[in-house]
Amino acid sequence: MRELALVFTKLGTIAFGGPAAHIAMMDDEVVKRRQWLSQEKLLDLLERNQSYSWP
Protein backbone atom coordinates (compact mmCIF):
# COMPACT_ATOMS: atom_id res chain seq x y z
CA MET A 1 0.00 0.00 0.00
CA ARG A 2 2.88 2.33 0.77
CA GLU A 3 4.37 1.78 -2.69
CA LEU A 4 1.04 2.66 -4.29
CA ALA A 5 0.84 5.88 -2.28
CA LEU A 6 4.41 6.80 -3.20
CA VAL A 7 3.81 6.24 -6.91
CA PHE A 8 0.73 8.43 -7.02
CA THR A 9 2.30 11.10 -4.80
CA LYS A 10 5.17 11.24 -7.27
CA LEU A 11 2.79 11.47 -10.22
CA GLY A 12 0.76 14.18 -8.51
CA THR A 13 3.75 16.34 -7.74
CA ILE A 14 5.67 16.15 -11.02
CA ALA A 15 2.90 15.93 -13.62
CA PHE A 16 2.15 19.04 -15.65
CA GLY A 17 -0.15 19.32 -18.64
CA GLY A 18 -3.57 18.34 -17.34
CA PRO A 19 -5.42 15.02 -17.49
CA ALA A 20 -3.86 13.81 -20.73
CA ALA A 21 -0.38 14.11 -19.24
CA HIS A 22 -1.45 12.34 -16.03
CA ILE A 23 -2.99 9.45 -17.97
CA ALA A 24 0.17 9.05 -20.07
CA MET A 25 2.33 9.05 -16.94
CA MET A 26 0.05 6.54 -15.20
CA ASP A 27 0.25 4.31 -18.26
CA ASP A 28 4.03 4.47 -18.24
CA GLU A 29 4.43 3.91 -14.49
CA VAL A 30 1.60 1.49 -13.69
CA VAL A 31 1.31 -0.54 -16.91
CA LYS A 32 4.76 -0.52 -18.50
CA ARG A 33 7.23 -0.19 -15.62
CA ARG A 34 5.51 -1.89 -12.69
CA GLN A 35 3.02 -4.07 -14.61
CA TRP A 36 0.36 -3.67 -11.92
CA LEU A 37 -2.38 -3.43 -14.57
CA SER A 38 -2.79 -4.39 -18.18
CA GLN A 39 -3.39 -1.67 -20.78
CA GLU A 40 -6.98 -2.88 -21.16
CA LYS A 41 -7.67 -2.74 -17.41
CA LEU A 42 -6.28 0.79 -17.11
CA LEU A 43 -8.45 1.96 -20.00
CA ASP A 44 -11.49 0.23 -18.47
CA LEU A 45 -10.92 1.99 -15.15
CA LEU A 46 -10.48 5.36 -16.88
CA GLU A 47 -13.70 4.78 -18.84
CA ARG A 48 -15.60 3.96 -15.66
CA ASN A 49 -14.22 7.04 -13.98
CA GLN A 50 -15.44 9.21 -16.85
CA SER A 51 -18.95 7.77 -16.57
CA TYR A 52 -19.14 8.89 -12.92
CA SER A 53 -18.43 12.55 -13.61
CA TRP A 54 -20.64 14.95 -11.73
CA PRO A 55 -21.64 18.52 -12.58
Side-chain angles (χ1 to χ4, degrees):
M1 193 62 136
R2 178 185 165 115
E3 187 178 4
L4 181 66
L6 290 173
V7 166
F8 281 95
T9 298
K10 175 185 140 185
L11 292 176
T13 57
I14 65 170
F16 294 98
H22 281 95
I23 292 169
M25 291 179 75
M26 281 190 293
D27 178 58
D28 185 54
E29 188 71 35
V30 175
V31 175
K32 295 176 183 164
R33 288 187 188 172
R34 299 181 186 267
Q35 299 179 349
W36 288 344
L37 295 172
S38 66
Q39 183 80 33
E40 293 78 22
K41 185 64 174 177
L42 177 64
L43 293 174
D44 181 54
L45 292 170
L46 291 170
E47 179 183 344
R48 288 180 190 208
N49 186 42
Q50 290 294 320
S51 70
Y52 298 138
S53 60
W54 300 93

